[in-house]
Amino acid sequence: MLEELLLWDKEAFLFLNGLGTETWDGFWMFMTKTRNSAPLYLVLLYFSYKSFGMKGTAVVLVSIALLITCTDQLSNFFKYGLGRLRPCHDPEVSGIMRLVKSYCGGQYGYFSAHAANSFAPATFFSILFYKKVKYIGDILILWAFIVAYSRIYIGVHYPLDVVTGILFGALFGWVFAKLAIFAFQKLGA
């Protein structure tokens, strides 16, 4: 069963990765770079201040720092604990896939920290701004999906790496949003 799932994962990766073209490579490389999300985070910081004031914004900043630390470190725990090769390091697929980046990254890829670290704040802010900022949840989840898919497109993660990252990111984003809401209530923010 596990072997069949991993075989399907490799086939799905080769199909999705093979859909790429040089025309779109620049867009997907832009989307996969974490620093390019900085303007979005500044907008979210502004909405946090407008919605929750200074105390609430402090809660948001601490929550996001802890949230990203948790998802990132959990991803590293799984990567080194399970030792599943990234597709670009996997001899079964590395010769027939498209590697868009100039380098492959670390040896192991399960699960995608980019997927987790994009879905965690997307879920967190979608919950916090539900009914406060129109369409923000839709925009954030779409953005997170694009970032997550970029990892398959550029050739550094299998689909299951990305799906697992999405699930962990969404779970942790939900937990931290609930904790932040509790903190808002305690602080009167």
Side-chain angles (χ1 to χ4, degrees):
M1 176 71 172
L2 179 61
E3 291 167 7
E4 289 176 21
L5 181 63
L6 294 177
L7 178 61
W8 171 86
D9 196 28
K10 286 183 182 185
E11 290 172 358
F13 168 79
L14 289 171
F15 173 76
L16 293 170
N17 176 258
L19 293 174
T21 66
E22 286 185 22
T23 304
W24 286 96
D25 289 354
F27 169 78
W28 292 104
M29 281 301 297
F30 178 85
M31 289 308 298
T32 206
K33 291 182 181 167
T34 306
R35 71 175 175 265
N36 293 333
S37 298
L40 176 63
Y41 289 126
L42 290 174
V43 169
L44 293 170
L45 184 62
Y46 168 76
F47 285 140
S48 296
Y49 180 73
K50 285 211 38 131
S51 297
F52 308 115
M54 189 58 83
K55 281 194 241 178
T57 302
V59 169
V60 166
L61 289 172
V62 169
S63 297
I64 286 294
L66 292 171
L67 173 60
I68 297 300
T69 300
C70 286
T71 55
D72 200 57
Q73 292 308 307
L74 187 62
S75 170
N76 285 332
F77 174 79
F78 272 82
K79 283 178 184 174
Y80 295 105
L82 294 178
R84 183 179 189 206
L85 294 174
R86 289 179 183 267
C88 44
H89 287 303
D90 186 340
E92 290 182 28
V93 297
S94 63
I96 53 177
M97 57 162 280
R98 293 181 76 242
L99 180 62
V100 178
K101 290 176 71 167
S102 59
Y103 62 98
C104 185
Q107 190 171 7
Y108 305 119
Y110 185 83
F111 61 87
S112 169
H114 272 74
N117 292 340
S118 62
F119 263 87
T123 304
F124 177 85
F125 284 112
S126 293
I127 293 168
L128 288 189
F129 294 139
Y130 182 72
K131 294 186 180 178
K132 291 183 183 297
V133 181
K134 197 171 187 177
Y135 303 118
I136 193 74
D138 299 330
I139 292 166
L140 292 173
I141 297 302
L142 176 63
W143 163 79
F145 269 115
I146 291 170
V147 171
Y149 178 75
S150 74
R151 307 308 288 168
I152 298 166
Y153 183 97
I154 67 170
V156 296
H157 281 291
Y158 288 109
L160 284 178
D161 302 346
V162 170
V163 169
T164 304
I166 288 169
L167 294 173
F168 273 106
L171 174 65
F172 276 78
W174 179 82
V175 167
F176 275 80
K178 296 300 180 182
L179 291 172
I181 290 167
F182 178 76
F184 292 159
Q185 292 167 346
K186 289 295 182 187
L187 293 172

